[in-house]
Amino acid sequence: MNPNAAGWEEAYAKAREIVSQMTLLEKVNLTTGTGWQSDKCVGNTGSVPRLGIRSLCLQDSPLGTRFADYASAFTSGQTIAASWDRGLIYQRGHGIGSEQKAKGISVMLGPAVGPLGRAPAGGRNWEGFSPDPYLTGVAAAESIRGIQDAGVIATLKHYIGNEQEHFRVAGEARGYNYTINESSSSNIDDKTMHELYLWPFADGVRAGVGSIMCSYQQINNSYGCQNSATLNGLLKGELGFQGFVMSDWQAQHTGAAAAVAGLDMTMPGDTRFNTGVSYWGANLTLAVLNGTVPEYRIDDMAMRIVSALYYVGIGTDVQEANFDSWTKQTFGPKHYYAKDGQQQINDHVDVQGDHGLEIRNASAKSTVILKNNGILPLHKPRFLAVIGQDAGANPKGPNGCSDRGCNEGTLAMSWGSGTGEFPYLITPAEALQWQAREDRSRLESIFDNYAWSQIRTLVSQAYAHALVFVNANSGEGYISVDGNQGDRKNLTLWGSGDQLIKNVSSVCNQTIVVIHSVGPVLLTDWYDNPNVSAIVWAGEPGQESGRSIVDVLYGRAQPGRTPFTWAAKREDYGADVLYDANNGNGAPQQDFSEGVFIDYRALDRKNITPIYEFGHGLSWTTFEFADIKVEKISDSKYVPTTGQTPAAPTFGQKPSPNLDDYVFPNSTIRHIYNFIYPYLNVSSAQGAAGSSDYGQSAAEFLPPNALADAPQTRHAAGPGANQHPGGNNQLWDVLYCVTATVKNTGKVDGDAIPQLYVSLGGNEPPVVLRGFDRIHVKAGESATFKADLTRRDLSNWDTVSQNWVITEYPKKVFVGSSSRKLPLSADLK
């Protein structure tokens, strides 16, 4: 760590005071998880009782509190990105963080920016924000600020290149009958890494994120949680990250090598669930004692964890979780797997507050109107025919499928570890009934997508407005739904949704399609049918799904803009999921050969016309853009960072060389079955070691200088000694300020979402997003859109100098309503 990193100085000083008092065993205990289901949370560290530090509770998810009752189910990350509203994104982060804080959680496992969304069929794209790194970076930073302002450490994940579910874990893939022995490798070139996948992580580090989770798969054929190039080099060196790196659950593949490569905390602690065997724990204690892992490294691990606690205001006042992840019963075993420690484990604390109202508002403002032939907003329609399984309830209940691992009823949240429990789920059909009763409208619903005879009879009646609800789902790879092994098999609608729409629109000329989905679907066969009067994308809105969509359909809420492109063909997107193991029994090789050209960048490069472009979305009014102005703020010269870091420090007394001092103290501590401890079982090194990479000389298997504690040369693109983390601080200097006038030319008030794009010239994408805002403009009035352009916004990564450079190609800025509607432009001089 850098003791003088701007913003972290106080946290560092307080952490040093605490860590200096810790024994080796206490430091190891803080860095090692106690094992799957050994305690109440999905991850728990060991505690330091002597210094008053309880076990840290680490808990999913990016949209709520997984496994907890009386907690809210917020919108998905991808959905809130469609609001293009920094304030709403912050509010969502703060809401989730405050609920987790009230549940006794110390570390929230979110937000997610990996996957970025390289392939539209990627299973966990919905957990993240957008395939555009700028939009994702802004959303990540606002989310982190919200979460950590609530007093919980945010975890930015999954670092890095984790862009699909297929082959991410070799054992998981073997469960699907793939015969691979190693997890896949994401092979990413240096320029693409910096300009696309690392970009939002830099925003997160700049925002002060306390933790980062390394990913399952390999990066350039080195596992993510022991990849020194990405952890020590990019993250801690170039970005200057001051928090701690935790492993994804069972993503650790080695002990000492992971430690010196930059891993700071292993989760959940055991090498395989419920084994009680750990690469760290006693093995890490022994590795420090025999010099395999240097003492400064364990000190740095502990410093990073404790510093993060102080940075968000927790300090040593770590709370105990008041819920249990493994059962909803009030009483049960504290140590679930061991069935040990009967007590009250669930306090059933209601932490929801008024977040339901916030979710309703945010979900509505994140709904996108893709098409509208004047049928919307609805106003007391005479007859509503509500069609589709997606409009109704899951007959098993909203939480009836474990980790939401099914696709029954309306889609408001997808499956996997990124889920939460619905405290309630208002379906579209329910909310539409309430509205119909108020309007005295007739309303009938059919929730069977295949009941065509009954559907035809209903929607062909006079005055019918047919609201067709359809969806497309995906999730995490350990669950397969209808043959979708996490990643989507295709980009079509589920449940024969496309045929349903074509059937309904063939007999009803007032068909409104509402899509709940995890990303784009192919609309090619029906979007331009004149009988399809409107198309609305509602993403995954969370618990207030029904009320939020009714707010939009009836014009009470201002809609958002799409955070991804709707292409006509799957092939247009520039990249796809690797579905077949392509390396025999070895690690499948996924080459990111498309470089930075994904989503709208891919279509722009090949001049392919999308159905609905990135940033597109209709409003209840119309806007005009005029009077673009560019003000040059600075022409300062970029100076690469120079100098060296201090030598790696160690804290406190030297560990005792006597192994007897580290043996499990049976006389003072009761041993819990399968619980992972830092203590040695016996005092002989050979008997105490539980992994083959301990007990031998580090020189036998670690690369040269892996253990060096000498001063290191600072990265030229990294922060200086007293600068904020996130990279060379001059990258964040504002060079230009761009303004434009946005006029509401319609008859009603509305939210404009002006967007600023930059052309960097050369062989770069024609335009890249570099600014946006959400501005409420009254009818007939105008507002000013303002966006600052930083040095980073105008730079490209130079692989030779290993730094950011503003190339000599002419630069141009564009302002408009989407990536393909940019009426204003100006040269940067």
Side-chain angles (χ1 to χ4, degrees):
M1 290 188 70
N2 175 8
N4 301 310
W8 285 79
E9 305 96 332
E10 183 179 351
Y12 182 96
K14 290 180 177 178
R16 178 168 182 161
E17 182 178 348
I18 295 295
V19 173
S20 294
Q21 301 175 54
M22 288 184 183
T23 66
L24 173 60
L25 290 168
E26 289 169 335
K27 295 169 188 173
V28 171
N29 215 28
L30 198 58
T31 63
T32 305
T34 57
W36 182 247
Q37 296 184 324
S38 286
D39 215 319
K40 298 171 73 173
C41 303
V42 297
N44 284 87
T45 66
S47 58
V48 187
R50 185 176 63 87
L51 299 176
I53 301 178
R54 292 188 179 95
S55 166
L56 306 186
C57 169
L58 295 81
Q59 195 73 9
D60 299 304
S61 74
L63 55 66
T65 304
R66 188 185 184 199
F67 296 143
D69 55 11
Y70 301 99
S72 303
F74 290 77
T75 65
S76 74
Q78 185 185 67
T79 305
I80 198 67
S83 73
W84 297 67
D85 188 315
R86 289 171 171 84
L88 285 179
I89 296 169
Y90 174 91
Q91 182 188 70
R92 171 182 177 273
H94 192 273
I96 299 171
S98 64
E99 292 198 7
Q100 292 217 345
K101 177 74 171 179
K103 285 290 186 181
I105 296 163
S106 304
V107 185
M108 173 182 154
L109 304 179
V113 298
L116 180 68
R118 170 182 181 263
R124 300 181 77 176
N125 291 355
W126 60 276
E127 293 186 46
F129 298 104
S130 166
D132 180 81
Y134 182 91
L135 179 55
T136 288
V138 170
E142 293 296 343
S143 298
I144 289 162
R145 293 186 185 103
I147 293 163
Q148 297 193 162
D149 284 353
V152 176
I153 296 171
T155 303
L156 198 58
K157 63 181 188 178
H158 306 86
Y159 184 79
I160 191 170
N162 178 56
E163 293 296 318
Q164 67 172 58
E165 295 305 283
H166 278 71
F167 316 125
R168 64 178 189 149
V169 178
E172 182 178 275
R174 288 194 293 269
Y176 291 123
N177 298 317
Y178 297 103
T179 57
I180 63 172
N181 296 319
E182 300 290 346
S183 302
S184 62
S185 176
S186 298
N187 302 324
I188 310 173
D189 68 85
D190 192 23
K191 176 179 169 66
T192 301
M193 176 66 82
H194 280 83
E195 296 184 9
L196 213 57
Y197 300 102
L198 189 63
W199 185 284
F201 282 99
D203 284 296
V205 172
R206 179 78 175 179
V209 69
S211 175
I212 285 178
M213 182 190 294
C214 51
S215 54
Y216 283 119
Q217 93 299 339
Q218 302 184 66
I219 304 105
N220 298 331
N221 288 290
S222 174
Y223 276 103
C225 291
Q226 62 191 56
N227 189 317
S228 184
T230 56
L231 298 180
N232 286 331
L234 294 179
L235 183 60
K236 294 182 175 180
E238 184 180 324
L239 296 186
F241 174 58
Q242 297 299 297
F244 61 94
V245 175
M246 75 170 75
S247 70
D248 204 338
W249 272 228
Q250 298 182 132
Q252 186 182 13
H253 292 264
T254 188
V260 298
L263 185 66
D264 301 303
M265 179 188 288
T266 176
M267 278 291 139
D270 35 15
T271 58
R272 293 290 181 269
F273 289 167
N274 303 130
T275 62
V277 176
S278 179
Y279 285 115
W280 283 7
N283 278 317
L284 184 55
T285 300
L286 182 62
V288 176
L289 292 173
N290 68 21
T292 307
V293 171
E295 186 184 342
Y296 78 79
R297 185 74 269 271
I298 190 70
D299 288 346
D300 188 54
M301 295 177 192
M303 279 293 298
R304 288 174 175 274
I305 296 166
V306 179
S307 291
L309 289 170
Y310 277 109
Y311 187 81
V312 302
I314 298 174
T316 58
D317 186 25
V318 177
Q319 303 301 304
E320 184 173 357
N322 54 41
F323 71 101
D324 190 274
S325 296
W326 319 117
T327 177
K328 293 295 190 295
Q329 298 302 311
T330 302
F331 294 93
K334 183 178 189 298
H335 308 289
Y336 181 82
Y337 187 73
K339 300 296 185 283
D340 187 286
Q342 293 291 322
Q343 63 183 57
Q344 182 168 332
I345 54 176
N346 279 308
D347 296 344
H348 309 293
V349 178
D350 189 338
V351 298
Q352 297 171 86
D354 292 329
H355 293 147
L357 297 175
E358 294 179 4
I359 294 167
R360 176 181 179 177
N361 177 57
S363 299
K365 289 184 175 179
S366 300
T367 300
V368 182
I369 300 175
L370 297 171
K371 176 183 178 179
N372 183 18
N373 287 346
I375 196 170
L376 298 178
L378 298 174
H379 180 69
K380 296 184 177 181
R382 189 166 181 178
F383 172 32
L384 287 175
V386 179
I387 307 299
Q389 171 188 305
D390 184 71
N394 181 348
K396 300 172 184 176
N399 301 314
C401 301
S402 178
D403 285 341
R404 313 299 80 75
C406 62
N407 193 58
E408 300 179 40
T410 193
L411 177 61
M413 180 193 303
S414 286
W415 76 77
S417 65
T419 59
E421 306 289 305
F422 287 108
Y424 61 84
L425 175 56
I426 299 173
T427 68
E430 288 177 292
L432 284 164
Q433 281 187 323
W434 299 337
Q435 184 67 47
R437 182 175 60 185
E438 182 179 321
D439 292 344
R440 298 182 180 272
S441 298
R442 174 189 168 201
L443 185 147
E444 292 189 42
S445 301
I446 298 176
F447 301 136
D448 185 344
N449 286 12
Y450 303 98
W452 174 234
S453 176
Q454 293 87 344
I455 292 171
R456 181 187 181 94
T457 298
L458 187 64
V459 301
S460 60
Q461 295 176 31
Y463 305 111
H465 283 64
L467 272 68
V468 184
F469 285 82
V470 289
N471 67 37
N473 205 349
S474 70
E476 193 169 356
Y478 68 91
I479 295 174
S480 178
V481 178
D482 193 25
N484 295 269
Q485 297 165 8
D487 303 312
R488 284 191 279 169
K489 293 184 294 186
N490 51 54
L491 298 184
T492 58
L493 292 167
W494 288 32
S496 299
D498 295 292
Q499 190 60 50
L500 177 66
I501 293 166
K502 287 188 278 189
N503 286 346
V504 171
S505 60
S506 70
V507 295
C508 179
N509 63 2
Q510 297 188 101
T511 299
I512 301 167
V513 176
V514 178
I515 302 169
H516 289 113
S517 77
V518 292
V521 295
L522 300 180
L523 314 176
T524 309
D525 290 348
W526 50 266
Y527 81 98
D528 57 352
N529 183 330
N531 285 353
V532 176
S533 301
I535 305 173
V536 179
W537 181 74
E540 293 181 294
Q543 67 191 44
E544 288 282 338
S545 175
R547 292 204 290 185
S548 65
I549 192 61
V550 169
D551 285 344
V552 174
L553 294 176
Y554 284 78
R556 294 192 292 266
Q558 297 291 328
R561 307 293 185 264
T562 178
F564 48 77
T565 300
W566 299 74
K569 296 185 298 182
R570 182 175 185 169
E571 296 75 21
D572 293 345
Y573 283 100
D576 209 337
V577 169
L578 176 68
Y579 291 98
D580 299 313
N582 60 0
N583 192 27
N585 293 333
Q589 300 294 302
Q590 187 175 31
D591 297 331
F592 288 38
S593 56
E594 71 286 344
V596 300
F597 294 94
I598 65 172
D599 199 74
Y600 71 91
R601 301 170 178 216
L603 279 78
D604 289 353
R605 182 190 197 187
K606 296 180 180 179
N607 199 26
I608 298 172
T609 301
I611 292 178
Y612 300 115
E613 72 275 12
F614 176 80
H616 166 78
L618 302 178
S619 175
W620 303 128
T621 185
T622 55
F623 298 98
E624 282 185 358
F625 296 86
D627 303 324
I628 187 170
K629 292 182 175 63
V630 177
E631 179 186 3
K632 192 167 189 175
I633 304 299
S634 173
D635 58 359
S636 61
K637 184 180 179 181
Y638 179 66
V639 180
T641 298
T642 58
Q644 291 189 313
T645 67
T650 57
F651 305 111
Q653 295 181 351
K654 289 285 183 182
S656 166
N658 185 357
L659 293 186
D660 289 332
D661 294 338
Y662 303 93
V663 175
F664 192 96
N666 289 296
S667 61
T668 56
I669 296 180
R670 185 171 61 87
H671 190 280
I672 307 298
Y673 176 67
N674 261 24
F675 199 89
I676 296 171
Y677 298 95
Y679 303 103
L680 309 183
N681 292 324
V682 295
S683 59
S684 70
Q686 184 175 0
S691 179
S692 61
D693 67 355
Y694 298 103
Q696 58 180 304
S697 169
E700 293 180 29
F701 64 96
L702 293 177
N705 300 314
L707 308 183
D709 60 0
Q712 302 290 305
T713 300
R714 296 190 187 278
H715 199 291
N722 302 97
Q723 295 184 344
H724 284 279
N728 188 314
N729 281 198
Q730 296 167 88
L731 294 171
W732 306 86
D733 290 345
V734 175
L735 302 188
Y736 296 90
C737 177
V738 180
T739 58
T741 299
V742 183
K743 184 177 182 180
N744 184 338
T745 56
K747 297 180 180 179
V748 296
D749 301 348
D751 285 2
I753 302 181
Q755 301 159 39
L756 181 146
Y757 294 80
V758 173
S759 171
L760 297 172
N763 295 320
E764 303 302 324
V767 294
V768 290
L769 181 70
R770 288 295 186 261
F772 65 87
D773 201 357
R774 183 167 183 142
I775 308 170
H776 189 71
V777 188
K778 293 183 178 181
E781 295 187 4
S782 297
T784 299
F785 165 59
K786 177 179 177 293
D788 291 331
L789 286 173
T790 66
R791 188 186 311 274
R792 177 178 181 240
D793 292 331
L794 301 176
S795 297
N796 291 108
W797 182 254
D798 180 57
T799 58
V800 176
S801 66
Q802 286 294 290
N803 214 328
W804 295 93
V805 299
I806 298 178
T807 65
E808 295 181 357
Y809 295 105
K811 306 291 187 285
K812 197 166 189 172
V813 294
F814 302 85
V815 172
S817 59
S818 72
S819 66
R820 289 286 179 106
K821 294 183 177 68
L822 299 168
L824 305 183
S825 64
D827 295 326
L828 294 181
K829 300 178 182 178

